[in-house]
Amino acid sequence: MINIIDKKKCSGCKACYNICPRSCIEMIVDSEGFWYPKVNESSCVDCGLCETVCPEINIYSKKRAYEIPTCYAAWNKDENSRKNSSSGGVFTSIAQWIISNGGVVFGAGYDETLKVIHSEVHTNEELAALRGSKYVQSDINDTYNSAKKYLEAGKKVLFTGTPCQIAGLYNFISKDYAQLYTCDIVCHGVPSPLVFKKYKNNMEKLHDSKIKSINFRNKKQGWKSYCVAIEFQNDRKYSKTFVNDVYMKGFLRNYYLRPSCYSCSYAKINRASDVTLGDFWGIASKYPELDDDCGTSLLLINSDKGKTMLDACIGSIVFKECDLDHAIKGNPSIISSVKVPRGREKFFKDLNSSDFDFVIKRYMSSPTWMQRKIIFSKRVFRFIKRKMGCEL
Protein backbone atom coordinates (compact mmCIF):
# COMPACT_ATOMS: atom_id res chain seq x y z
CA MET A 1 0.00 0.00 0.00
CA ILE A 2 1.09 3.54 -0.59
CA ASN A 3 2.63 5.33 2.39
CA ILE A 4 3.99 8.85 1.94
CA ILE A 5 6.95 9.44 4.24
CA ASP A 6 8.80 12.05 2.19
CA LYS A 7 6.35 14.67 0.91
CA LYS A 8 8.68 15.50 -1.97
CA LYS A 9 7.75 12.07 -3.34
CA CYS A 10 4.06 12.87 -3.85
CA SER A 11 2.78 15.21 -6.57
CA GLY A 12 -0.86 15.03 -5.44
CA CYS A 13 -2.08 13.70 -8.80
CA LYS A 14 -4.64 11.40 -7.12
CA ALA A 15 -3.90 8.45 -9.41
CA CYS A 16 -3.83 6.22 -6.30
CA TYR A 17 -7.18 7.64 -5.16
CA ASN A 18 -8.72 6.95 -8.59
CA ILE A 19 -7.38 3.39 -8.92
CA CYS A 20 -8.23 1.97 -5.48
CA PRO A 21 -10.81 -0.84 -6.00
CA ARG A 22 -11.99 -0.63 -2.39
CA SER A 23 -12.14 3.19 -2.19
CA CYS A 24 -10.05 3.02 0.95
CA ILE A 25 -7.71 5.92 0.10
CA GLU A 26 -8.56 9.31 1.56
CA MET A 27 -6.76 12.50 0.54
CA ILE A 28 -5.75 14.39 3.69
CA VAL A 29 -4.83 18.08 3.53
CA ASP A 30 -1.74 19.05 5.53
CA SER A 31 -0.84 22.32 7.25
CA GLU A 32 0.48 23.76 3.96
CA GLY A 33 -2.81 23.09 2.15
CA PHE A 34 -1.62 20.19 -0.02
CA TRP A 35 -3.38 16.81 -0.14
CA TYR A 36 -1.69 13.45 0.42
CA PRO A 37 -3.08 9.90 0.35
CA LYS A 38 -3.90 8.04 3.55
CA VAL A 39 -4.91 4.38 3.36
CA ASN A 40 -7.61 2.91 5.59
CA GLU A 41 -5.67 -0.22 6.46
CA SER A 42 -8.72 -2.08 7.75
CA SER A 43 -10.31 -1.92 4.28
CA CYS A 44 -7.12 -2.32 2.21
CA VAL A 45 -6.55 -5.72 0.54
CA ASP A 46 -2.93 -4.84 -0.28
CA CYS A 47 -3.44 -5.21 -4.05
CA GLY A 48 -0.57 -2.80 -4.74
CA LEU A 49 -2.38 -0.87 -7.48
CA CYS A 50 -1.88 2.46 -5.69
CA GLU A 51 1.90 2.04 -5.81
CA THR A 52 1.80 0.83 -9.42
CA VAL A 53 0.08 3.97 -10.72
CA CYS A 54 2.05 6.49 -8.65
CA PRO A 55 4.06 8.66 -11.09
CA GLU A 56 6.69 9.33 -8.40
CA ILE A 57 7.29 5.67 -7.54
CA ASN A 58 7.04 4.60 -11.18
CA ILE A 59 8.38 7.43 -13.33
CA TYR A 60 6.42 7.49 -16.57
CA SER A 61 8.31 7.55 -19.85
CA LYS A 62 6.20 8.11 -22.93
CA LYS A 63 6.26 5.37 -25.54
CA ARG A 64 6.96 6.51 -29.08
CA ALA A 65 7.87 10.01 -27.88
CA TYR A 66 10.23 12.09 -30.00
CA GLU A 67 13.74 12.17 -28.60
CA ILE A 68 13.79 15.94 -29.17
CA PRO A 69 10.46 17.75 -29.53
CA THR A 70 9.77 20.08 -32.44
CA CYS A 71 9.43 23.66 -31.20
CA TYR A 72 6.98 26.22 -32.58
CA ALA A 73 5.83 29.73 -31.82
CA ALA A 74 2.08 29.91 -32.41
CA TRP A 75 -1.16 31.75 -31.80
CA ASN A 76 -4.84 31.42 -32.55
CA LYS A 77 -6.14 33.37 -35.56
CA ASP A 78 -9.36 34.10 -33.67
CA GLU A 79 -8.67 37.37 -31.82
CA ASN A 80 -11.21 36.71 -29.08
CA SER A 81 -9.76 33.28 -28.26
CA ARG A 82 -6.27 34.73 -28.15
CA LYS A 83 -7.32 37.70 -26.05
CA ASN A 84 -8.95 35.48 -23.43
CA SER A 85 -6.07 33.02 -23.22
CA SER A 86 -2.89 33.26 -21.16
CA SER A 87 -0.62 33.26 -24.19
CA GLY A 88 -1.56 32.50 -27.81
CA GLY A 89 -4.79 30.54 -27.45
CA VAL A 90 -3.52 27.35 -29.13
CA PHE A 91 -5.25 25.16 -26.52
CA THR A 92 -8.62 26.43 -27.74
CA SER A 93 -7.88 25.39 -31.31
CA ILE A 94 -6.79 21.88 -30.30
CA ALA A 95 -9.76 21.45 -27.96
CA GLN A 96 -12.22 22.59 -30.64
CA TRP A 97 -10.86 19.91 -32.99
CA ILE A 98 -11.46 17.25 -30.31
CA ILE A 99 -15.01 18.49 -29.66
CA SER A 100 -15.84 18.74 -33.39
CA ASN A 101 -15.03 15.03 -33.58
CA GLY A 102 -17.45 14.14 -30.80
CA GLY A 103 -14.77 14.11 -28.11
CA VAL A 104 -14.49 15.39 -24.56
CA VAL A 105 -11.89 17.77 -23.07
CA PHE A 106 -10.59 17.66 -19.50
CA GLY A 107 -8.85 20.61 -17.89
CA ALA A 108 -8.61 22.93 -14.89
CA GLY A 109 -11.34 25.45 -14.11
CA TYR A 110 -13.08 27.13 -11.19
CA ASP A 111 -16.08 25.61 -9.42
CA GLU A 112 -18.87 27.72 -7.89
CA THR A 113 -16.70 28.47 -4.83
CA LEU A 114 -13.70 29.46 -7.00
CA LYS A 115 -11.83 26.31 -6.03
CA VAL A 116 -9.66 25.05 -8.91
CA ILE A 117 -10.75 21.59 -10.03
CA HIS A 118 -10.43 19.39 -13.10
CA SER A 119 -13.66 18.96 -15.04
CA GLU A 120 -14.90 17.86 -18.45
CA VAL A 121 -16.44 19.93 -21.24
CA HIS A 122 -18.30 18.85 -24.37
CA THR A 123 -19.02 22.08 -26.25
CA ASN A 124 -17.02 25.03 -27.58
CA GLU A 125 -18.99 27.37 -25.32
CA GLU A 126 -17.86 25.42 -22.24
CA LEU A 127 -14.19 25.72 -23.23
CA ALA A 128 -14.00 29.25 -21.86
CA ALA A 129 -13.97 27.83 -18.32
CA LEU A 130 -10.75 25.92 -19.04
CA ARG A 131 -8.83 28.78 -20.65
CA GLY A 132 -6.21 30.74 -18.79
CA SER A 133 -3.65 30.00 -16.07
CA LYS A 134 -5.06 29.29 -12.60
CA TYR A 135 -1.82 29.41 -10.52
CA VAL A 136 -2.99 26.93 -7.90
CA GLN A 137 -2.93 23.13 -7.77
CA SER A 138 -5.99 21.71 -9.49
CA ASP A 139 -7.93 18.92 -7.79
CA ILE A 140 -8.10 15.98 -10.23
CA ASN A 141 -10.99 14.42 -8.27
CA ASP A 142 -12.17 11.30 -10.18
CA THR A 143 -11.52 12.61 -13.70
CA TYR A 144 -9.04 9.81 -14.47
CA ASN A 145 -11.88 7.33 -14.07
CA SER A 146 -14.19 9.50 -16.18
CA ALA A 147 -11.61 9.80 -18.97
CA LYS A 148 -11.11 6.03 -19.04
CA LYS A 149 -14.86 5.42 -19.39
CA TYR A 150 -15.01 7.72 -22.42
CA LEU A 151 -11.99 6.00 -23.97
CA GLU A 152 -13.53 2.58 -23.47
CA ALA A 153 -16.66 3.89 -25.21
CA GLY A 154 -14.50 4.86 -28.21
CA LYS A 155 -14.61 8.63 -27.71
CA LYS A 156 -11.74 11.00 -28.37
CA VAL A 157 -10.35 12.45 -25.13
CA LEU A 158 -8.06 15.43 -24.69
CA PHE A 159 -6.64 15.55 -21.17
CA THR A 160 -4.73 18.67 -20.15
CA GLY A 161 -2.80 19.29 -16.96
CA THR A 162 0.59 19.60 -15.34
CA PRO A 163 3.27 17.09 -16.44
CA CYS A 164 2.85 15.02 -13.26
CA GLN A 165 -0.93 14.90 -13.74
CA ILE A 166 -0.46 13.62 -17.29
CA ALA A 167 2.05 11.02 -16.04
CA GLY A 168 -0.44 9.97 -13.36
CA LEU A 169 -3.14 9.58 -16.01
CA TYR A 170 -0.97 7.36 -18.22
CA ASN A 171 0.02 5.16 -15.28
CA PHE A 172 -3.64 4.91 -14.31
CA ILE A 173 -4.85 4.13 -17.85
CA SER A 174 -2.08 1.53 -18.34
CA LYS A 175 -3.17 0.99 -21.94
CA ASP A 176 -2.35 2.65 -25.25
CA TYR A 177 -5.69 4.13 -26.33
CA ALA A 178 -5.64 5.43 -29.91
CA GLN A 179 -8.25 8.06 -29.01
CA LEU A 180 -6.34 9.56 -26.06
CA TYR A 181 -4.57 12.87 -26.67
CA THR A 182 -2.67 14.71 -23.96
CA CYS A 183 -1.39 18.23 -23.42
CA ASP A 184 0.79 19.35 -20.52
CA ILE A 185 1.92 22.84 -19.59
CA VAL A 186 5.35 24.28 -18.93
CA CYS A 187 4.98 24.25 -15.17
CA HIS A 188 6.80 26.59 -12.76
CA GLY A 189 5.25 24.64 -9.87
CA VAL A 190 1.79 24.42 -8.28
CA PRO A 191 0.92 26.84 -5.45
CA SER A 192 -0.87 25.85 -2.26
CA PRO A 193 -4.71 25.87 -2.35
CA LEU A 194 -4.57 27.08 1.27
CA VAL A 195 -2.60 30.20 0.35
CA PHE A 196 -4.96 30.82 -2.57
CA LYS A 197 -7.97 30.53 -0.24
CA LYS A 198 -6.45 32.96 2.25
CA TYR A 199 -5.62 35.36 -0.59
CA LYS A 200 -9.25 35.24 -1.82
CA ASN A 201 -10.61 35.75 1.71
CA ASN A 202 -8.30 38.72 2.23
CA MET A 203 -9.34 40.30 -1.08
CA GLU A 204 -13.01 39.88 -0.17
CA LYS A 205 -12.36 41.49 3.20
CA LEU A 206 -10.53 44.44 1.63
CA HIS A 207 -13.26 45.01 -0.97
CA ASP A 208 -16.21 44.17 1.31
CA SER A 209 -17.67 41.71 -1.19
CA LYS A 210 -17.52 38.17 -2.49
CA ILE A 211 -15.40 37.57 -5.58
CA LYS A 212 -17.28 37.08 -8.83
CA SER A 213 -14.37 36.18 -11.09
CA ILE A 214 -10.56 35.98 -11.15
CA ASN A 215 -8.32 36.33 -14.18
CA PHE A 216 -4.62 35.90 -13.44
CA ARG A 217 -3.56 36.74 -16.98
CA ASN A 218 -5.54 39.78 -18.09
CA LYS A 219 -3.85 41.37 -21.13
CA LYS A 220 -5.26 44.89 -20.99
CA GLN A 221 -1.69 46.20 -20.52
CA GLY A 222 -0.26 43.63 -22.91
CA TRP A 223 0.92 40.03 -22.71
CA LYS A 224 4.29 40.82 -21.13
CA SER A 225 2.80 43.08 -18.43
CA TYR A 226 -0.22 40.93 -17.69
CA CYS A 227 -2.49 41.84 -14.81
CA VAL A 228 -4.35 40.01 -12.08
CA ALA A 229 -7.94 41.19 -12.58
CA ILE A 230 -10.67 40.45 -10.03
CA GLU A 231 -14.36 41.40 -10.20
CA PHE A 232 -16.49 41.50 -7.06
CA GLN A 233 -20.21 41.01 -6.61
CA ASN A 234 -20.59 44.63 -5.46
CA ASP A 235 -19.19 45.68 -8.88
CA ARG A 236 -15.82 46.72 -7.51
CA LYS A 237 -12.80 45.83 -9.63
CA TYR A 238 -9.18 45.09 -8.75
CA SER A 239 -6.31 45.12 -11.22
CA LYS A 240 -2.57 44.98 -10.63
CA THR A 241 0.31 43.82 -12.78
CA PHE A 242 1.79 40.48 -11.78
CA VAL A 243 4.87 42.15 -10.25
CA ASN A 244 2.66 44.14 -7.87
CA ASP A 245 0.04 41.56 -6.87
CA VAL A 246 1.01 39.91 -3.58
CA TYR A 247 -0.14 36.41 -4.57
CA MET A 248 1.84 36.44 -7.79
CA LYS A 249 4.87 37.82 -5.96
CA GLY A 250 4.88 34.82 -3.63
CA PHE A 251 4.34 32.42 -6.52
CA LEU A 252 7.25 33.84 -8.52
CA ARG A 253 9.45 33.83 -5.40
CA ASN A 254 8.57 30.12 -5.01
CA TYR A 255 7.39 30.42 -1.39
CA TYR A 256 4.33 28.18 -1.52
CA LEU A 257 4.85 25.59 -4.21
CA ARG A 258 4.21 21.90 -3.51
CA PRO A 259 7.32 20.17 -2.05
CA SER A 260 7.58 17.84 -5.07
CA CYS A 261 7.83 20.86 -7.40
CA TYR A 262 11.32 21.74 -6.16
CA SER A 263 12.63 18.46 -7.58
CA CYS A 264 10.13 17.77 -10.36
CA SER A 265 10.47 14.34 -11.98
CA TYR A 266 8.97 15.61 -15.25
CA ALA A 267 10.80 18.87 -15.91
CA LYS A 268 12.81 17.44 -18.80
CA ILE A 269 13.04 17.55 -22.56
CA ASN A 270 11.38 14.14 -22.98
CA ARG A 271 7.84 15.17 -22.11
CA ALA A 272 5.04 12.98 -20.77
CA SER A 273 2.42 14.40 -23.12
CA ASP A 274 1.73 14.58 -26.86
CA VAL A 275 2.02 18.37 -26.90
CA THR A 276 3.36 20.90 -24.41
CA LEU A 277 2.04 24.46 -24.18
CA GLY A 278 3.52 27.51 -22.48
CA ASP A 279 4.49 31.13 -22.97
CA PHE A 280 7.23 31.84 -25.50
CA TRP A 281 9.02 34.33 -23.27
CA GLY A 282 11.94 36.00 -25.03
CA ILE A 283 10.46 35.46 -28.49
CA ALA A 284 11.11 39.10 -29.48
CA SER A 285 14.89 38.90 -29.05
CA LYS A 286 15.26 36.34 -31.86
CA TYR A 287 11.94 36.43 -33.72
CA PRO A 288 10.60 40.00 -33.38
CA GLU A 289 8.13 39.42 -36.21
CA LEU A 290 6.37 36.84 -33.98
CA ASP A 291 5.76 39.23 -31.09
CA ASP A 292 2.93 41.76 -31.10
CA ASP A 293 2.49 41.63 -27.27
CA CYS A 294 -0.89 39.93 -27.66
CA GLY A 295 0.44 36.52 -26.62
CA THR A 296 2.68 33.97 -28.34
CA SER A 297 2.39 30.33 -27.36
CA LEU A 298 5.34 28.00 -27.05
CA LEU A 299 4.22 24.74 -28.66
CA LEU A 300 6.27 21.55 -28.35
CA ILE A 301 5.28 18.59 -30.51
CA ASN A 302 6.36 15.51 -28.57
CA SER A 303 4.84 12.60 -30.52
CA ASP A 304 3.03 11.56 -33.69
CA LYS A 305 -0.27 12.27 -31.96
CA GLY A 306 1.02 15.75 -31.23
CA LYS A 307 1.78 16.18 -34.92
CA THR A 308 -1.76 15.01 -35.71
CA MET A 309 -3.16 17.72 -33.43
CA LEU A 310 -0.98 20.38 -35.06
CA ASP A 311 -2.04 19.28 -38.55
CA ALA A 312 -5.70 19.44 -37.48
CA CYS A 313 -5.24 23.08 -36.38
CA ILE A 314 -3.32 24.39 -39.40
CA GLY A 315 -6.29 26.43 -40.63
CA SER A 316 -6.95 28.08 -37.26
CA ILE A 317 -3.48 28.97 -35.96
CA VAL A 318 -0.40 30.89 -37.06
CA PHE A 319 2.78 28.95 -36.34
CA LYS A 320 6.48 28.90 -37.15
CA GLU A 321 9.20 26.42 -36.21
CA CYS A 322 11.74 27.96 -33.81
CA ASP A 323 14.95 27.13 -32.01
CA LEU A 324 14.29 24.91 -28.98
CA ASP A 325 17.36 26.13 -27.07
CA HIS A 326 16.15 29.71 -27.39
CA ALA A 327 12.73 28.71 -26.05
CA ILE A 328 14.35 26.99 -23.05
CA LYS A 329 16.39 30.13 -22.26
CA GLY A 330 13.18 32.14 -22.00
CA ASN A 331 11.26 29.43 -20.14
CA PRO A 332 13.75 27.26 -18.21
CA SER A 333 10.94 25.42 -16.37
CA ILE A 334 10.78 23.21 -19.47
CA ILE A 335 13.83 21.32 -18.20
CA SER A 336 14.51 22.46 -14.62
CA SER A 337 12.86 22.88 -11.22
CA VAL A 338 12.92 26.04 -9.14
CA LYS A 339 14.91 26.24 -5.90
CA VAL A 340 13.41 26.12 -2.42
CA PRO A 341 13.52 29.61 -0.89
CA ARG A 342 15.24 29.83 2.49
CA GLY A 343 12.19 31.30 4.20
CA ARG A 344 9.63 28.76 2.97
CA GLU A 345 9.25 26.81 6.23
CA LYS A 346 9.02 30.02 8.26
CA PHE A 347 6.49 31.41 5.78
CA PHE A 348 4.05 28.56 6.41
CA LYS A 349 4.52 28.77 10.18
CA ASP A 350 3.61 32.44 10.05
CA LEU A 351 0.75 31.79 7.63
CA ASN A 352 -0.87 29.38 10.08
CA SER A 353 -0.37 31.55 13.15
CA SER A 354 -0.64 35.15 11.98
CA ASP A 355 -2.92 37.49 10.04
CA PHE A 356 -2.64 37.12 6.27
CA ASP A 357 -1.93 40.83 5.80
CA PHE A 358 1.00 40.63 8.23
CA VAL A 359 2.49 37.59 6.51
CA ILE A 360 2.14 39.10 3.04
CA LYS A 361 3.77 42.37 4.07
CA ARG A 362 6.58 40.51 5.78
CA TYR A 363 7.45 38.23 2.88
CA MET A 364 6.22 39.96 -0.26
CA SER A 365 7.17 43.59 0.32
CA SER A 366 9.98 45.01 -1.78
CA PRO A 367 13.29 45.11 0.13
CA THR A 368 14.22 48.37 1.83
CA TRP A 369 17.25 50.41 0.75
CA MET A 370 19.28 48.92 3.61
CA GLN A 371 18.18 45.36 2.78
CA ARG A 372 19.14 45.85 -0.86
CA LYS A 373 22.54 47.16 0.26
CA ILE A 374 23.09 44.08 2.45
CA ILE A 375 22.04 41.72 -0.36
CA PHE A 376 24.40 43.47 -2.78
CA SER A 377 27.27 43.32 -0.27
CA LYS A 378 26.75 39.58 0.23
CA ARG A 379 26.77 38.99 -3.51
CA VAL A 380 30.01 40.97 -3.90
CA PHE A 381 31.58 39.02 -1.02
CA ARG A 382 30.59 35.66 -2.58
CA PHE A 383 31.98 36.80 -5.96
CA ILE A 384 35.34 37.84 -4.43
CA LYS A 385 35.51 34.58 -2.47
CA ARG A 386 34.92 32.51 -5.63
CA LYS A 387 37.44 34.63 -7.55
CA MET A 388 40.12 34.16 -4.90
CA GLY A 389 39.41 30.43 -4.80
CA CYS A 390 39.99 30.17 -8.54
CA GLU A 391 43.28 32.01 -8.32
CA LEU A 392 44.71 29.83 -5.53
Side-chain angles (χ1 to χ4, degrees):
M1 76 182 68
I2 201 157
N3 181 26
I4 305 300
I5 298 173
D6 182 356
K7 290 184 176 181
K8 294 192 296 292
K9 300 299 182 181
C10 175
S11 63
C13 71
K14 291 196 173 182
C16 58
Y17 170 83
N18 274 262
I19 200 71
C20 182
R22 299 293 294 267
S23 299
C24 61
I25 295 179
E26 183 182 4
M27 303 303 292
I28 303 296
V29 177
D30 72 353
S31 61
E32 294 182 351
F34 296 108
W35 47 79
Y36 296 88
K38 182 179 180 182
V39 178
N40 182 340
E41 295 185 26
S42 63
S43 301
C44 178
V45 295
D46 206 21
C47 66
L49 287 173
C50 53
E51 292 180 320
T52 301
V53 300
C54 175
E56 298 302 325
I57 295 175
N58 295 292
I59 302 299
Y60 176 77
S61 180
K62 188 169 184 62
K63 298 174 183 177
R64 292 185 287 281
Y66 297 164
E67 186 175 343
I68 301 295
T70 309
C71 176
Y72 294 94
W75 64 78
N76 200 311
K77 290 180 180 179
D78 181 74
E79 291 184 10
N80 188 59
S81 294
R82 191 182 181 195
K83 176 184 176 183
N84 291 299
S85 299
S86 293
S87 51
V90 174
F91 159 75
T92 298
S93 183
I94 295 172
Q96 286 176 338
W97 172 68
I98 293 288
I99 289 172
S100 69
N101 282 276
V104 56
V105 178
F106 290 85
Y110 296 109
D111 69 5
E112 62 278 0
T113 66
L114 290 178
K115 176 185 175 182
V116 178
I117 63 168
H118 256 62
S119 58
E120 63 185 69
V121 301
H122 300 261
T123 67
N124 290 337
E125 290 72 26
E126 293 174 315
L127 279 178
L130 305 187
R131 286 197 196 110
S133 302
K134 306 303 187 295
Y135 294 116
V136 66
Q137 181 161 31
S138 172
D139 190 341
I140 285 289
N141 289 314
D142 61 352
T143 51
Y144 288 170
N145 276 302
S146 298
K148 187 173 183 178
K149 288 177 183 177
Y150 285 118
L151 290 168
E152 289 177 343
K155 276 184 171 287
K156 270 186 170 61
V157 169
L158 172 64
F159 204 101
T160 64
T162 60
C164 57
Q165 288 174 334
I166 300 301
L169 171 70
Y170 276 123
N171 279 357
F172 171 84
I173 295 291
S174 69
K175 182 179 175 182
D176 189 12
Y177 285 96
Q179 298 287 60
L180 175 61
Y181 297 82
T182 57
C183 170
D184 70 1
I185 59 171
V186 178
C187 184
H188 179 88
V190 290
S192 161
L194 172 65
V195 178
F196 182 52
K197 182 179 180 180
K198 286 180 176 287
Y199 169 75
K200 289 185 295 181
N201 290 343
N202 189 61
M203 294 299 290
E204 290 179 342
K205 180 181 176 181
L206 292 173
H207 293 83
D208 195 30
S209 176
K210 290 288 185 182
I211 295 173
K212 187 193 302 183
S213 66
I214 300 177
N215 181 356
F216 278 110
R217 296 291 298 273
N218 184 286
K219 296 179 183 176
K220 68 178 183 180
Q221 294 187 41
W223 170 54
K224 299 185 194 72
S225 299
Y226 61 85
C227 298
V228 177
I230 302 177
E231 293 188 8
F232 297 86
Q233 291 181 4
N234 64 0
D235 294 328
R236 286 188 180 182
K237 293 183 180 181
Y238 165 93
S239 179
K240 282 191 178 181
T241 56
F242 69 96
V243 294
N244 293 312
D245 176 78
V246 292
Y247 184 80
M248 289 302 295
K249 279 184 182 181
F251 166 66
L252 294 171
R253 294 178 187 181
N254 310 323
Y255 271 111
Y256 35 80
L257 306 182
R258 190 178 181 96
S260 61
C261 296
Y262 301 106
S263 54
C264 177
S265 302
Y266 297 96
K268 53 187 178 182
I269 204 67
N270 185 253
R271 310 295 293 183
S273 64
D274 296 311
V275 299
T276 298
L277 286 173
D279 292 283
F280 208 133
W281 300 126
I283 185 72
S285 64
K286 187 163 185 171
Y287 307 99
E289 73 279 8
L290 298 177
D291 177 36
D292 57 5
D293 204 27
C294 292
T296 302
S297 292
L298 167 63
L299 171 62
L300 302 182
I301 302 300
N302 306 316
S303 70
D304 288 343
K305 280 187 179 179
K307 179 65 164 54
T308 298
M309 284 190 271
L310 175 62
D311 291 344
C313 299
I314 283 177
S316 60
I317 65 172
V318 175
F319 64 99
K320 179 179 178 179
E321 187 169 348
C322 294
D323 178 57
L324 178 60
D325 289 337
H326 182 72
I328 291 172
K329 285 180 183 178
N331 208 330
S333 292
I334 296 171
I335 60 168
S336 60
S337 304
V338 298
K339 293 182 179 179
V340 184
R342 289 183 180 178
R344 184 184 184 281
E345 186 176 345
K346 185 74 167 63
F347 168 83
F348 274 107
K349 283 183 180 179
D350 286 344
L351 183 72
N352 287 304
S353 62
S354 305
D355 180 74
F356 185 79
D357 258 343
F358 166 79
V359 177
I360 287 299
K361 288 174 182 176
R362 181 171 186 175
Y363 289 88
M364 307 310 159
S365 297
S366 299
T368 63
W369 177 85
M370 182 57 71
Q371 287 171 329
R372 287 197 298 269
K373 186 176 180 180
I374 292 171
I375 292 170
F376 177 74
S377 298
K378 286 181 177 179
R379 287 176 179 171
V380 171
F381 176 75
R382 285 197 297 267
F383 174 77
I384 294 172
K385 190 176 179 181
R386 285 197 303 269
K387 196 76 172 174
M388 290 178 67
C390 291
E391 292 173 353
L392 290 176

